[in-house]
Amino acid sequence: MSPVVVLVGPPGSGKSTIAALLASRLGKTHRDTDTDVENEAGKPISDIFVDSGEAAFRSLERAAIVAALQDEGAVLSLGGGAILDADTRADLAGHNVVFLDVSLSEAAKRVGLGVARPLLLGNVRTQLRNLMEARRPLYAEVAKLTVDTDGRAPEDLAAEIVEHLG
Ligand SMILES: Nc1ncnc2c1ncn2[C@@H]1O[C@H](COP(=O)(O)OP(=O)(O)O)[C@@H](O)[C@H]1O
Ligand SMILES: O=C(O)C1=C[C@@H](OP(=O)(O)O)[C@@H](O)[C@H](O)C1
Ligand SMILES: [Mg+2]
């Protein structure tokens, strides 16, 4: 009835990477709502933003989240902006949500430059700082556990989360 664990956090916190590692450790399926949105739209997220705008992306994302939260036994990674939606935050209340935290400097290094994350285009560091400041209370609100990822290897973080899941 519900995913084993749901990972939230800003871009570059490692949600997609760590969810894949967790799924393989736990023998579960990895589901990433960004991938679901891309499959549904038939194009990359960057093209959805360019062709139709952020609102269109958010609407596809919301539908992907509603479907994915029904996925029993999956390890689920959301996109960084998923928690902007109040209905999504309410839906997450009953789930095992882990907030992967990261500092601005480490997140900026991890995401680098590129079109894959259209919201960060322009000045990556400024964009990241603004969205991290605005969203931090929302990640904290939905999370049952917060894990600081700075200076820690993905395998090590996955091991800690497995331990937490018992
Ligand atoms: N703990 C970590 N330490 C160093 N690099 C990481 C870590 N977690 C993820 N990365 C790298 O950071 C980049 C962004 O990771 P990703 O999983 O796509 O983050 P998210 O889905 O949260 O945006 C990838 O290149 C990934 O390999
Ligand atoms: O922070 C955001 O609003 C977004 C984060 C991205 O996912 P990641 O957090 O996995 O990079 C992706 O959903 C989209 O580019 C929007
Ligand atoms: Mg991701």
Side-chain angles (χ1 to χ4, degrees):
M1 244 134 46
S2 118
V4 179
V5 61
V6 183
L7 302 186
V8 302
S13 57
K15 302 177 293 297
S16 302
T17 302
I18 288 156
L21 290 174
L22 279 173
S24 105
R25 275 176 179 258
L26 296 167
K28 305 286 184 188
T29 316
H30 173 210
R31 187 157 176 174
D32 188 286
T33 52
D34 282 335
T35 307
D36 292 347
V37 165
E38 292 185 328
N39 289 338
E40 177 67 24
K43 52 182 148 183
I45 286 170
S46 51
D47 286 357
I48 303 173
F49 270 74
V50 170
D51 295 346
S52 314
E54 181 176 352
F57 168 73
R58 294 297 173 203
S59 152
L60 289 168
E61 180 177 47
R62 172 67 190 146
I65 290 168
V66 169
L69 288 177
Q70 309 291 321
D71 196 341
E72 186 163 10
V75 174
L76 179 60
S77 39
L78 303 184
I83 44 69
L84 293 171
D85 187 296
D87 290 334
T88 291
R89 295 201 299 280
D91 289 348
L92 287 173
H95 293 275
N96 202 359
V97 180
V98 176
F99 167 22
L100 296 182
D101 204 355
V102 63
S103 65
L104 171 61
S105 55
E106 190 144 339
K109 266 187 231 141
R110 289 185 197 165
V111 299
L113 299 172
V115 297
R117 291 178 176 84
L119 279 186
L120 304 184
L121 289 176
N123 186 331
V124 174
R125 203 180 156 89
T126 303
Q127 304 289 76
L128 254 182
R129 185 180 60 234
N130 291 342
L131 72 77
M132 286 169 90
E133 275 174 12
R135 294 174 182 175
R136 177 167 297 279
L138 304 179
Y139 296 128
E141 175 189 323
V142 298
K144 301 264 193 306
L145 173 75
T146 298
V147 177
D148 184 1
T149 68
D150 271 22
R152 296 185 61 192
E155 283 289 359
D156 177 35
L157 294 162
E160 178 179 334
I161 295 167
V162 167
E163 210 167 294
H164 162 78
L165 293 173

